[in-house]
Structure formats: structure tokens, C-alpha cells
Amino acid sequence: MKERLEELEQEAILKVEKAETIDALKNVRVEYLGKKGPITEVLRGMGKLSKEERPVIGQLANEVREKISVAIDEKQSKLEDEALEEQLKDESIDVTLPGRPVQVGGPHLLTSIIEEIEDLFIGMGFDIREGPEVETDYYNFEALNLPKGHPARDMQDTFYITEELLMRTHTSPVQARTMGQKDGKEPVKMICPGKVYRRDTDDATHSHQFTQIEGLLVDENVRMSDLKGVLQTFAHKMFGEEREIRLRPSFFPFTEPSVEMDISCKMCGGKGCSVCKGSGWIEILGAGMVHPNVLEMSGYDSKKYSGFAFGMGPERIAMLKHGIDDIRHFYTNDVRFLSQYHNA
């Protein structure tokens, strides 16, 4: 029986060494160490042995079983390491290759234009003010010299929520609110950027939602020449020092006198072309001296205080500055268009 156990040990160790897969090792384990294996059969025959032989053969059988088990475990660990190494070779990553670039976004062109205009006017001492987009009829119209029934209201088709609440048609209500907060006793020097809403049919030059920046300066002895100086500085900084400006008479209910400001066409240098429709000039914004009624409704003594106001559309500024021909490009979220201006 001792010789049989030693023989089984040698057979099992040899099969373990020859095994090339984990499954083959599992078969060796079951064959020699399983309940129906030859070592178990030897142990079942120990009843025929003398009392002196039983502990010796029992100890030898356990040693043989342990040696076979250790050999199987070591070979299994070796096979697993080799399999992992092969897998790593097949799935290896070449860290010397350049990584995949991460797409980085940028500010929307309108955001860039608005921030550029804000920086320009901050440099001239203006504050930035904001106000609600859902506005009252009073601040949107009445406080700006547009009483109920005034025909000039027809110039601004409006989204009404109730009879007294609406989506603001311009950012001018922020000016009225700011003047009201000053109680007619302090100067005002501000611009107010933001979104506005009008019931327009969307086309290449119109949108039901767009952005606007309006400016206001109220103080003693404010003159039309002050307005012209500010607008000229704006035109030169935004469009180039070579640009000329001109002011044409116009009408706005909240300013008197009122003007439209044009800049010389950069395409033709003022000589006339298809862009400026042969005039040599391009309309850019509206402005004027604050109407005395607007000052009085906000608590200012119109005989002591005067001021000027102006309003512009960042979309139009961007379209002129970058040669964009359709306002809808700003709102259709086409990344191919928007990504061209991340560094504008």
C-alpha cells in the first residue's frame, strides 16, 4: 500500500506538470483527490492493516494528498499568470501615442459681443444694470412717455401675459427703475444689457427674441455733444478708428431730440456698395436727449437735470462686425457656425 501511494504521487505530479490549461488541472484534481479517486480507495482499505501500520499509512496518504494539492495550486497560479500576461499583450495601450483631444467649448458670439461692449462702457465710467424680463406695462411704456393708447406703442408688437404684465420689448424699463431708485436726486450713468421680446415674424433680420443694450446718462448740464462723443468712442472701439459717424434726425417717444446713428461702411469706405445700399453709411443704433416727461415721471427736475439715452442690438453689431447675413444663426445652435467665433 505504501508503494501504491508513492506511485500515485508520481503519476499525479507528472500529469500536473504536463497540464497546459486550468481545465486540465481541474481534471487532475478530481481524478486523484476526488471522493472516487485512487487515494480515497487506498484509505478505504486501511481496515485490513494492522494497528501499527494504520497510522503510518494514514500519515503517508495525507502527505501524498497534500503534495499533489500543492503542486496543482502552484501550476494553476502559473497558468493564470501566463494567461494574464497574454491578455495584457493583446489589450496593451501604447502610452506614447497622443491622446484623443477633448473638445473644448467657448463663449457664444453674442456673449462675447455683449461683454466687449460692457467692458468698453465700464471703461467710460458706466455701471451695468439688469432688470426683470417680465415687466409691468407702467415701466415698459408709461414711465417712458408712452401712455395707454399712444400710437407709438404700435411700433412694438408685444407679448402680453395680462393687461398689466408683458414680456419687455426693450431694456428701457431698467433705466426707468434705476432713475426711480435715485429719487431724482443723484446722477445716473448706466447701461442695461438683456433679452427682449417682440411679436415679430422670424426672418433674416428679425427675431421674436433678441438682445439689446441701452445706455443712460442723467446729470446736470448734459449736452448733445456729450452723447456724440460717447457714441463716437463706441464706434471707434468696436469698428475701428477709421470709422466715421453721422447723426440723423429721428423720432423716439422717450427722447427729444432723437437721432439715428450711422457709421461709414467698412466695405467701401463710404463710397457706396451693395452692403450699404449705395449710401456709404450703415445704421447702427438709435439715441437722443432724454425727454423732459421721462425725467419728471422719475422724480427729476427737468429744468435742472438733462441726459441722453441710446439703444443698440448686439446681434446687429455682431452681424456688421463679422459679416453675418442672418440673425437666426445666433439661435439655431449650429455648432459649425458658433465654433467659428469662440475666439472672436
Side-chain angles (χ1 to χ4, degrees), residues 1-7 56-57 60:
M1 191 170 287
K2 179 179 179 182
E3 289 78 9
R4 177 59 179 158
L5 286 171
E6 291 174 348
E7 181 183 335
V56 174
I57 298 301
L60 179 60

Side-chain angles (χ1 to χ4, degrees), residues 185 219-222 300-306:
K185 297 177 181 178
D219 205 341
E220 297 182 33
N221 302 315
V222 177
Y300 284 88
D301 182 354
S302 60
K303 295 180 179 179
K304 179 181 179 181
Y305 287 94
S306 56

Side-chain angles (χ1 to χ4, degrees), residues 109-110 113-114 116-117 211 213 234-235 238-239 261 263 266 283-285 311-324 330:
L109 177 56
L110 288 181
I113 290 291
I114 290 171
E116 184 178 356
I117 295 172
T211 57
I213 296 179
F234 163 75
M238 287 299 294
F239 298 101
M261 186 186 98
I263 60 170
K266 70 175 183 178
E283 180 183 326
I284 196 72
L285 58 81
M312 67 187 76
E315 287 89 346
R316 181 160 179 77
I317 304 294
M319 292 171 76
L320 292 173
K321 193 171 183 179
H322 297 287
I324 299 168
F330 295 118

Side-chain angles (χ1 to χ4, degrees), residues 35-276:
K35 293 181 179 180
K36 298 180 180 180
I39 296 178
T40 303
E41 291 294 329
V42 170
L43 292 174
R44 286 175 181 169
M46 288 178 63
K48 300 177 183 180
L49 301 175
S50 63
K51 293 182 179 180
E52 292 79 11
E53 291 178 315
R54 286 176 189 171
V56 174
I57 298 301
Q59 181 179 354
L60 179 60
N62 288 332
E63 289 175 355
V64 169
R65 182 189 292 273
E66 179 67 19
K67 289 178 180 179
I68 295 173
S69 179
V70 168
I72 291 173
D73 290 341
E74 290 177 349
K75 186 60 180 286
Q76 180 172 339
S77 178
K78 180 181 178 182
L79 291 176
E80 288 175 347
D81 290 343
E82 290 174 352
L84 178 60
E85 187 174 346
E86 287 296 321
Q87 182 180 2
L88 290 175
K89 285 182 180 179
D90 295 338
E91 300 178 357
S92 63
I93 299 173
D94 187 350
V95 295
T96 64
L97 291 173
R100 295 178 181 176
V102 178
Q103 188 172 5
V104 179
H108 192 285
L109 177 56
L110 288 181
T111 301
S112 297
I113 290 291
I114 290 171
E115 289 178 350
E116 184 178 356
I117 295 172
E118 287 178 344
D119 289 344
L120 195 161
F121 280 99
I122 287 173
M124 290 192 281
F126 285 75
D127 295 329
I128 309 297
R129 296 288 185 129
E130 295 181 346
E133 293 177 19
V134 177
E135 190 53 274
T136 64
D137 183 271
Y138 174 80
Y139 281 113
N140 197 80
F141 290 122
E142 293 183 42
L144 300 172
N145 203 34
L146 284 162
K148 293 186 187 307
H150 195 290
R153 288 196 182 200
D154 295 338
M155 297 168 60
Q156 301 179 17
D157 292 334
T158 307
F159 290 109
Y160 276 93
I161 299 172
T162 68
E163 289 187 1
E164 296 299 325
L165 284 179
L166 51 91
M167 303 301 291
R168 67 182 181 186
T169 59
H170 45 193
T171 57
S172 300
V174 183
Q175 299 175 348
R177 288 178 176 273
T178 302
M179 286 192 291
Q181 293 168 3
K182 301 293 185 179
D183 202 25
K185 297 177 181 178
E186 298 178 38
V188 176
K189 194 176 185 181
M190 57 164 283
I191 63 168
C192 40
K195 292 194 291 289
V196 298
Y197 307 85
R198 296 185 187 176
R199 194 170 51 83
D200 279 337
T201 300
D202 290 5
D203 58 27
T205 57
H206 297 84
S207 174
H208 66 281
Q209 172 196 297
F210 54 99
T211 57
Q212 195 174 65
I213 296 179
E214 299 197 23
L216 173 70
L217 191 153
V218 175
D219 205 341
E220 297 182 33
N221 302 315
V222 177
R223 299 163 296 182
M224 191 76 170
S225 58
D226 299 320
L227 171 61
K228 183 179 179 181
V230 168
L231 296 182
Q232 190 163 31
T233 300
F234 163 75
H236 288 170
K237 294 295 184 182
M238 287 299 294
F239 298 101
E241 295 292 335
E242 69 279 7
R243 295 279 73 79
E244 297 181 10
I245 72 167
R246 74 174 184 183
L247 302 180
R248 294 180 288 107
S250 186
F251 168 77
F252 301 107
F254 28 82
T255 54
E256 180 61 37
S258 303
V259 296
E260 298 277 2
M261 186 186 98
D262 304 330
I263 60 170
S264 56
C265 178
K266 70 175 183 178
M267 301 301 294
C268 64
K271 296 177 181 179
C273 65
S274 59
V275 175
C276 60

